[in-house]
Amino acid sequence: MAGKEGSGMVVRYAGRLGVVASVALNLAALALYIRRRFFGGSGSGDGGGGREIATVEPSKGKPLVTPDSVVNLDHGDPTMYEAFWRETGDRATIVIPGCQTMSYFSDVGGFCWFLEPGFEREVRRLHRLVGNAVVDGYHVLVGTGSTQLFQAALYALSPATDGAPMSVVSPAPYYSSYPAVTNFLNSGLYRWAGDANTFDGDTCIELVCSPNNPDGGIRKAVIESKSGKAIHDFAYYWPQYTPITEAAGHDIMLFTVSKCTGHAGTRLGWALVKDREVAQKMIKFIELNTIGVSKDSQLRAAKILGAVCDGYETSLDGEASRLFHFARQQMMERWSKLRAAVAASDIFTLPNELSNYCTFVKETITTNPPFAWLRCEKEGVKDLEGFLREHKIITRGGTKFGVDGRFVRVSMLDTDEAFNVFMDRLASLK
Ligand code: PMP
């Protein structure tokens, strides 16, 4: 009996071994096929014609933060979303074979010749999902970050006459890049004219940033009636930062993957533009500036935006695949820690917390601005940026945003390590 059972087991075992071996062989053959098909190697694995696949490691980015190191929260570098994307695996991965994306052109004969149709499709799909902007009747344009689109919009809105440069304004505190980028090339077409609240000229371009960088305020144009020319910067009009209250429908609206999904390194932004002529001028600017926009980046961004939409529309993973829910949870946790630390300190204050009904999550939620706009109430501290630097915290001072040096802007989007060191240091300041 035992012998019979034993020999039966051997037969079954041998049978299983056969199945395992055949599956393994099939997998090896598949790997070889993929390697030859997409990477062109012979696959022999030795010096006789076999080629190693050269991999290029991405850079590590920023130095690691330790409890003693300087913590740099000057830039809004959105690395906090890495934890979400680490879990998505292949759903947000693309492979681009060497023979693809070689042409300059993406859509010859289309409205914007350098716009990848797949990217445009995912942009429209994402806005329909979130409900934060109207897309029907709008031209979609792509740029190397929304920073390039901002410059394209300034060019498109400035009259090409020999007159004085067009004034560019925004209410203080305004995003510190606006004056820097506007004046960088000393253009004869437009010039930075400061705080929109005190502007008294006849015509201007107003930059409306909402939620506002640096203070998180929800904004509407303040001088629309005078100029009629506004650029709406909606880098942060996403549900992790603010309740979505309406599908915005302004003339020029700028968005960026940097702050939406956290992929700042992909350097991709998009604009929704109502007027055909304005859109054509913006396209001309990008054509002369960089001869279009990286197709590789557009394909990657399309995959990423598609993964965000799939996470809500088709994924079975529940909360784990919902970017905005994950990101909002992270932001809420950080803001509750920060508010508790500031309340416990005698020397700092923050803008009041705002809340509203969000049409996307379908409940009343608070805002979680991407930056903390910190004010120091301590006697004698007029340069808060310098004061925090002495404590090895790098921030951006109020003067760069058109207000006084008692304010600083602190990024809320950095790694957990950097944020936690910031919290510990803040609690120790008296
Ligand atoms: N607008 C605002 C308000 C921003 O804060 C930023 C990034 N800090 C940008 C635009 C630029 O974004 P991008 O990375 O797409 O150039």
Side-chain angles (χ1 to χ4, degrees):
M1 252 330 241
K4 257 191 160 177
E5 260 181 24
S7 65
M9 269 173 68
V10 169
V11 171
R12 281 203 300 276
Y13 183 62
R16 263 186 230 139
L17 257 184
V19 172
V20 169
S22 127
V23 169
L25 267 174
N26 282 334
L27 283 177
L30 182 65
L32 189 63
Y33 168 76
I34 289 172
R35 189 173 167 176
R36 284 194 177 151
R37 171 83 176 72
F38 294 109
F39 301 102
S42 76
S44 68
D46 57 33
R51 272 169 280 159
E52 288 304 312
I53 301 168
T55 54
V56 183
E57 283 295 311
S59 60
K60 294 273 182 287
K62 299 179 285 191
L64 283 181
V65 171
T66 65
D68 298 324
S69 60
V70 172
V71 51
N72 189 337
L73 298 172
D74 175 6
H75 299 280
D77 199 19
T79 38
M80 69 185 287
Y81 303 143
E82 268 174 27
F84 176 86
W85 292 106
R86 216 172 283 128
E87 298 304 315
T88 57
D90 284 351
R91 277 179 289 150
T93 301
I94 58 164
V95 175
I96 304 177
C99 59
Q100 286 188 359
T101 65
M102 295 182 68
S103 166
Y104 280 115
F105 301 96
S106 290
D107 189 16
V108 183
F111 182 73
C112 177
W113 62 265
F114 52 81
L115 173 64
E116 279 293 311
F119 176 67
E120 173 175 7
R121 227 177 4 255
E122 296 301 340
V123 161
R124 290 184 187 275
R125 181 180 170 207
L126 183 67
H127 283 301
R128 288 195 180 106
L129 171 79
V130 174
N132 58 346
V134 179
V135 284
D136 293 331
Y138 277 81
H139 301 286
V140 175
L141 307 184
V142 64
T144 301
S146 66
T147 301
Q148 188 181 37
L149 288 159
F150 163 61
Q151 293 167 77
L154 288 185
Y155 165 76
L157 293 182
S158 302
T161 57
D162 292 339
M166 184 75 158
S167 296
V168 180
V169 298
S170 188
Y174 40 72
Y175 175 33
S176 51
S177 283
Y178 291 158
V181 171
T182 304
N183 280 350
F184 189 54
L185 293 180
N186 209 6
S187 168
L189 295 179
Y190 47 80
R191 184 161 307 158
W192 179 249
D195 188 349
N197 290 316
T198 54
F199 178 70
D200 64 358
D202 289 333
T203 178
C204 65
I205 299 170
E206 180 180 353
L207 309 172
V208 185
C209 183
S210 187
N212 188 43
N213 175 357
D215 65 355
I218 304 304
R219 292 186 156 187
K220 298 265 177 237
V222 298
I223 44 179
E224 207 163 18
S225 55
K226 265 196 205 167
S227 72
K229 294 189 179 191
I231 300 171
H232 282 78
D233 184 342
F234 282 143
Y236 304 102
Y237 190 36
W238 296 103
Q240 65 266 51
Y241 306 115
T242 187
I244 302 302
T245 54
E246 61 170 2
H250 304 285
D251 290 350
I252 301 181
M253 301 184 280
L254 306 182
F255 295 88
T256 167
V257 291
S258 304
K259 312 301 162 121
C260 171
T261 69
H263 293 84
T266 302
R267 304 303 309 122
L268 217 68
W270 68 93
L272 302 178
V273 183
K274 208 183 260 179
D275 185 81
R276 187 180 173 85
E277 234 176 86
V278 170
Q280 276 166 338
K281 282 188 177 171
M282 291 176 70
I283 291 169
K284 191 71 190 168
F285 177 94
I286 293 171
E287 185 179 315
L288 293 179
N289 191 225
T290 44
I291 320 184
V293 175
S294 164
K295 291 166 77 161
D296 299 356
S297 283
Q298 292 187 60
L299 294 182
R300 179 166 194 232
K303 182 78 181 187
I304 284 162
L305 298 188
V308 173
C309 295
D310 288 348
Y312 284 92
E313 289 171 353
T314 58
S315 173
L316 301 174
D317 292 352
E319 289 289 293
S321 60
R322 299 176 163 198
L323 171 73
F324 299 120
H325 286 68
F326 167 91
R328 202 169 80 79
Q329 187 60 36
Q330 301 276 99
M331 292 297 294
M332 267 167 25
E333 283 167 21
R334 287 190 176 189
W335 269 98
S336 92
K337 282 186 194 164
L338 177 68
R339 288 206 182 273
V342 165
S345 89
D346 290 334
I347 62 169
F348 296 115
T349 53
L350 284 167
N352 290 335
E353 192 174 72
L354 305 172
S355 63
N356 212 330
Y357 183 79
C358 175
T359 53
F360 178 66
V361 298
K362 298 197 171 29
E363 57 181 291
T364 298
I365 58 172
T366 57
T367 56
N368 305 299
F371 298 99
W373 186 233
L374 208 57
R375 185 175 197 273
C376 188
E377 310 292 336
K378 187 176 161 127
E379 200 54 34
V381 178
K382 297 222 160 47
D383 170 20
L384 180 55
E385 181 186 328
F387 175 74
L388 291 174
R389 199 185 310 112
E390 284 168 24
H391 295 88
K392 299 198 283 189
I393 305 169
I394 310 296
T395 61
R396 196 172 295 183
T399 53
K400 299 191 181 82
F401 301 91
V403 297
D404 71 73
R406 282 182 175 274
F407 288 93
V408 292
R409 189 195 79 169
V410 189
S411 170
M412 293 291 283
L413 305 177
D414 219 283
T415 58
D416 282 344
E417 291 75 18
F419 181 75
N420 290 336
V421 171
F422 168 54
M423 285 295 91
D424 290 345
R425 299 233 174 111
L426 202 68
S428 71
L429 297 179
K430 296 278 170 280

